[in-house]
């Protein structure tokens, strides 16, 4: 028997601003069930998951709720300084709190845009003040996100707040002399954390030379050489906080991460990616300065300002990095192999690892697909539940053959399963229906799935009426047109993404000998 599964409900330059810390300083039953404890029951294999997941970070950042840059509030230099004074005065923020929030925001914005596998080597150039401290924190978080950070910190301070952030992780500190003239030779991403909005005058050595190297990266773009991307924190170093790149020969970052609120110079930013970070502005500051800022969705630490750049879809691709999937390493029984991979998906903390694409076709041969949730499996098949009046149910009544597809992006894996489908017993459907949350039971009755309805208000009213009807707490009867299906597999394919599109594809085909079913494993070309 299968073991029990638990039930569950080119380098770029970044400029970083530290406006909010400016005056402070110079992070065995066969039924499939899923639970929040499953990752504890099935710890991830160190080798495989360790090598895959560090390349699959999804930053705590969001492109949702994008606000047009024209409707955003911008701060002048005096307002930015005053906001800092309030944060660090009456509101009681400490230096390390603000620095941690700033650095985390910058790191998550970078991780949101730049894939860790293609943009792995990151050089953070830190100035002697607050921006430099934000850059150090960002480098620490990027290390934990799977990047390989390096730090150039020419005017290193001995302040306890700045020491120890990176040394315990073994992050290399490079001198200016250690850096190549063309920074693109060694680094994919350059984080500009030299100067913030409080900087005045002309940059002095060695920062004048470092800024010049960032500016010179534009020359490599013009001659079609791949260059590093630049990410600036709050203010591109050398820019005027209000007027921007006055002369026109300054840094032109690919990404700008504004902190607290964008400064006036951000209106002159012409790069591809503008984010707002530093999710700590209280209502009192919003009201005092009449700030109009985009909302941070969910738990996001940063949010995009303006529209994302247009992307050439034909150029979008992922170069997978995975351990090889060899015939001698897989289980002879595909059900056992599936459970091993499902356990890995659970342990990796992937969102809804039981989500699967169900593909059906009716007698007309027209295919249709939709995502459903796997609710159980054993050697008799894979189970899901639905409305028997739905499109998929109609297809299955005409053609009992279907396929399932599981896609686990965080592990570079997918599983295809094909077979015939039949309804589960009424007893199984009844048992599962009453295990669902009461609201889901009511929803199953309220929604005549796949039928045309006049609007969402109609659906809400149906639900509200049923909620009133069953408000006495008595058991809710399962609708007769609702229940489960079981797909009995006659084919499995286990797919593992590999570099240069040389993916692994191991397929299982049933074969019968002496009234016993066994499975033959064959490898398909990718």
């Amino acid at each position: 028997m299968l073991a029990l599964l638990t039930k569950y409900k080119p380098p770029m330059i970044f400029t970083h601003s530290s406006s909010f810390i400016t005056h402070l300083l110079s992070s065995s039953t066969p039924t499939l069930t899923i639970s929040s404890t499953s990752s504890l029951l099935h710890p991830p294999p160190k080798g495989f998951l360790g090598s895959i997941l560090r390349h699959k970070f999804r930053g705590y950042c969001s492109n949702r709720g994008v606000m047009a840059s024209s409707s955003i509030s911008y701060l002048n230099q005096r307002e930015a300084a005053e906001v800092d004074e309030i944060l660090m005065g009456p509101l009681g923020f400490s230096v390390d709190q603000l620095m941690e929030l700033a650095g985390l925001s910058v790191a998550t914005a970078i991780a949101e845009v730049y894939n860790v596998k293609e943009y792995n080597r990151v050089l953070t150039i830190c100035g002697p003040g607050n921006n430099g401290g934000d850059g150090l924190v960002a480098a620490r978080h990027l290390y934990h996100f799977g990047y390989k950070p390096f730090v150039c910190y020419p005017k290193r301070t001995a302040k306890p707040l700045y020491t120890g952030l990176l040394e315990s992780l073994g992050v290399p500190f490079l001198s200016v002399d250690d850096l190549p003239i063309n920074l693109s030779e060694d680094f994919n991403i350059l984080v500009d954390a030299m100067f913030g909005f409080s900087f005045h005058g002309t940059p002095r050595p060695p920062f004048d030379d470092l800024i010049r190297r960032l500016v010179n990266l534009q020359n490599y773009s013009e001659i079609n050489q791949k260059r590093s991307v630049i990410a600036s924190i709050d203010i591109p170093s050398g820019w005027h906080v209000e007027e921007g790149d006055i002369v026109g020969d300054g840094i032109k970052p690919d990404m700008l991460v504004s902190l607290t609120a964008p400064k006036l110079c951000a209106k002159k930013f012409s790069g591809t990616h503008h984010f707002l970070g530093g999710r700590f502005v209280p209502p009192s500051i919003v009201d005092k300065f009449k700030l109009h800022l985009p909302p941070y969705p969910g738990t996001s630490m940063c949010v995009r300002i303006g529209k994302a750049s247009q992307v050439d879809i034909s150029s979008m691709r992922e170069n997978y990095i995975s351990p090889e999937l060899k015939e001698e390493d897989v289980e002879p029984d595909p059900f056992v192999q599936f459970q091993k991979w499902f356990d890995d998906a659970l342990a990796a903390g992937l969102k809804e690892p039981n989500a699967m694409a169900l593909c059906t076709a009716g007698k007309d041969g027209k295919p249709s697909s939709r995502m459903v949730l796997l609710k159980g499996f054993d050697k008799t098949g894979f189970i899901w539940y639905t409305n028997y009046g739905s499109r998929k149910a109609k297809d299955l009544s005409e053609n009992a053959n279907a396929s399932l597809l599981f896609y686990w992006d965080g592990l570079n894996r997918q599983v295809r399963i094909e077979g015939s489908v039949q309804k589960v017993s009424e007893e199984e459907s009844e048992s599962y229906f009453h295990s669902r949350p009461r609201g889901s039971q009511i929803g199953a009755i309220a929604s005549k799935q796949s039928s045309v309805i006049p609007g969402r208000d109609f659906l809400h009213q149906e639900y509200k009426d049923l909620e009133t009807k069953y408000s006495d707490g008595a058991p809710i009867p399962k609708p007769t047109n609702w229940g489960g299906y079981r797909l009995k597999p006659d084919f499995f394919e286990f797919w593992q993404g590999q570099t240069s599109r040389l993916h692994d594809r191991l397929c299982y085909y049933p074969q019968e000998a002496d009234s016993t079913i066994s499975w033959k494993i064959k490898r398909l070309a990718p």
Side-chain angles (χ1 to χ4, degrees):
M1 293 297 291
L2 296 176
L4 173 67
L5 289 175
T6 17
K7 190 171 191 177
Y8 74 90
K9 303 184 172 179
M12 300 173 124
I13 301 175
F14 291 86
T15 300
H16 172 62
S17 163
S18 54
S19 61
F20 46 73
I21 52 176
T22 297
H23 304 292
L24 294 178
L25 296 171
S26 294
S27 142
S28 335
T29 139
T31 301
L32 166 69
T33 49
I34 307 168
S35 80
S36 60
T37 60
S38 57
S39 61
L40 299 177
L41 298 174
H42 306 282
K46 293 180 180 178
F48 178 78
L49 292 184
S51 64
I52 293 295
L53 292 179
R54 66 170 174 264
H55 298 293
K56 287 292 180 178
F57 171 75
R58 296 291 183 264
Y60 293 101
C61 198
S62 179
N63 290 322
R64 296 175 295 160
V66 174
M67 181 179 284
S69 56
S70 59
S71 62
I72 297 287
S73 298
Y74 293 81
L75 298 176
N76 60 34
Q77 190 169 30
R78 178 190 58 77
E79 291 169 333
E82 189 176 350
V83 167
D84 275 6
E85 291 171 358
I86 295 172
L87 287 170
M88 298 179 293
L91 296 182
F93 276 94
S94 65
V95 180
D96 52 340
Q97 285 175 327
L98 293 173
M99 189 180 295
E100 188 68 25
L101 291 167
L104 179 58
S105 298
V106 172
T108 53
I110 291 172
E112 178 75 15
V113 174
Y114 300 110
N115 184 290
V116 68
K117 289 190 291 189
E118 296 182 37
Y119 296 90
N120 183 251
R121 295 172 66 86
V122 183
L123 174 66
T124 301
I125 305 175
C126 299
N130 304 324
N131 248 42
D134 296 342
L136 292 175
V137 174
R140 174 164 53 84
H141 284 293
L142 288 171
Y143 171 89
H144 290 298
F145 293 168
Y147 294 83
K148 186 173 179 56
F150 298 80
V151 173
C152 179
Y153 193 12
K155 301 294 183 179
R156 190 167 180 175
T157 177
K159 293 180 183 291
L161 189 60
Y162 284 179
T163 60
L165 281 175
L166 296 163
E167 292 174 345
S168 63
L169 301 178
V171 173
F173 279 75
L174 306 177
S175 68
V176 175
D177 292 338
D178 293 329
L179 301 178
I181 296 299
N182 177 7
L183 296 173
S184 296
E185 293 177 1
D186 289 351
F187 308 105
N188 309 116
I189 300 174
L190 305 172
V191 180
D192 162 27
M194 286 180 276
F195 305 119
F197 72 79
S198 60
F199 176 79
H200 297 279
T202 303
R204 297 179 179 179
F207 297 106
D208 55 348
D209 174 61
L210 290 168
I211 290 175
R212 205 160 32 242
R213 295 193 202 190
L214 297 186
V215 171
N216 288 339
L217 290 177
Q218 304 300 323
N219 299 331
Y220 297 104
S221 292
E222 293 171 2
I223 59 176
N224 296 321
Q225 290 186 10
K226 185 177 180 180
R227 67 169 182 85
S228 303
V229 297
I230 303 173
S232 290
I233 301 177
D234 209 31
I235 308 289
S237 293
W239 282 29
H240 188 280
V241 66
E242 296 178 1
E243 299 177 31
D245 183 14
I246 298 174
V247 179
D249 58 358
I251 296 173
K252 293 177 175 56
D254 305 273
M255 173 182 278
L256 175 64
V257 184
S258 294
L259 298 170
T260 308
K263 313 309 176 288
L264 280 172
C265 68
K267 290 186 175 183
K268 307 293 180 65
F269 172 69
S270 60
T272 306
H273 308 287
H274 188 191
F275 284 85
L276 177 64
R279 187 178 184 171
F280 52 78
V281 180
S284 59
I285 287 182
V286 172
D287 294 340
K288 178 177 176 61
F289 293 92
K290 296 180 173 55
L291 297 179
H292 188 208
L293 303 175
Y296 290 85
T299 59
S300 300
M301 286 302 298
C302 57
V303 62
R304 184 181 287 275
I305 297 175
K307 294 182 179 179
S309 61
Q310 295 297 313
V311 175
D312 177 7
I313 296 178
S314 67
S315 68
M316 296 176 67
R317 57 183 54 86
E318 182 84 9
N319 192 29
Y320 300 102
I321 300 176
S322 312
E324 292 181 347
L325 182 65
K326 300 180 180 179
E327 287 81 346
E328 59 267 26
D329 295 331
V330 298
E331 298 291 336
D333 185 328
F335 291 94
V336 177
Q337 180 63 33
F338 178 85
Q339 182 161 15
K340 287 181 65 175
W341 274 25
F342 191 86
D343 286 349
D344 286 346
L346 286 173
L350 303 185
K351 183 179 180 180
E352 292 194 322
N354 61 326
M356 58 186 185
L358 167 64
C359 302
T360 59
K363 61 183 178 182
D364 58 5
K366 292 182 178 179
S368 64
S369 302
R370 76 287 294 160
M371 299 302 295
V372 298
L373 295 178
L374 178 68
K375 289 300 177 180
F377 80 88
D378 59 16
K379 295 207 173 180
T380 66
F382 291 73
I383 300 171
W384 68 93
Y385 292 87
T386 190
N387 189 300
Y388 286 153
S390 63
R391 163 74 182 275
K392 54 186 169 293
K394 182 177 183 295
D395 283 353
L396 292 170
S397 69
E398 299 174 352
N399 175 7
N401 296 302
S403 68
L404 306 175
L405 172 65
F406 294 85
Y407 176 59
W408 296 312
D409 172 60
L411 300 177
N412 298 338
R413 288 173 171 176
Q414 57 181 311
V415 181
R416 289 197 305 122
I417 305 172
E418 299 174 2
S420 59
V421 179
Q422 61 182 359
K423 291 180 179 179
V424 304
S425 69
E426 186 66 14
E427 291 75 21
E428 286 181 87
S429 293
E430 190 80 37
S431 175
Y432 174 72
F433 181 81
H434 289 107
S435 74
R436 307 176 84 201
R438 196 170 180 84
S440 297
Q441 296 179 41
I442 294 175
I445 303 173
S447 175
K448 308 300 186 287
Q449 195 175 109
S450 299
S451 64
V452 177
I453 59 175
R456 188 162 183 82
D457 289 344
F458 172 84
L459 192 62
H460 280 300
Q461 189 60 50
E462 287 285 301
Y463 184 92
K464 185 177 180 181
D465 292 345
L466 288 166
E467 199 172 34
T468 301
K469 179 179 179 179
Y470 297 114
S471 61
D472 59 358
I476 299 173
K478 180 188 78 66
T480 57
N481 65 338
W482 190 96
Y485 284 101
R486 176 183 283 106
L487 181 144
K488 181 179 180 181
D490 56 28
F491 171 83
F492 287 80
E493 178 184 333
F494 292 86
W495 180 96
Q496 180 76 67
Q498 299 293 352
T499 58
S500 302
R501 326 314 291 172
L502 300 179
H503 312 308
D504 291 310
R505 299 178 62 190
L506 296 185
C507 299
Y508 289 72
Y509 301 87
Q511 54 186 13
E512 185 172 352
D514 300 327
S515 301
T516 302
I517 298 293
S518 60
W519 295 84
K520 177 70 174 178
I521 300 176
K522 297 180 181 180
R523 177 179 290 270
L524 300 185

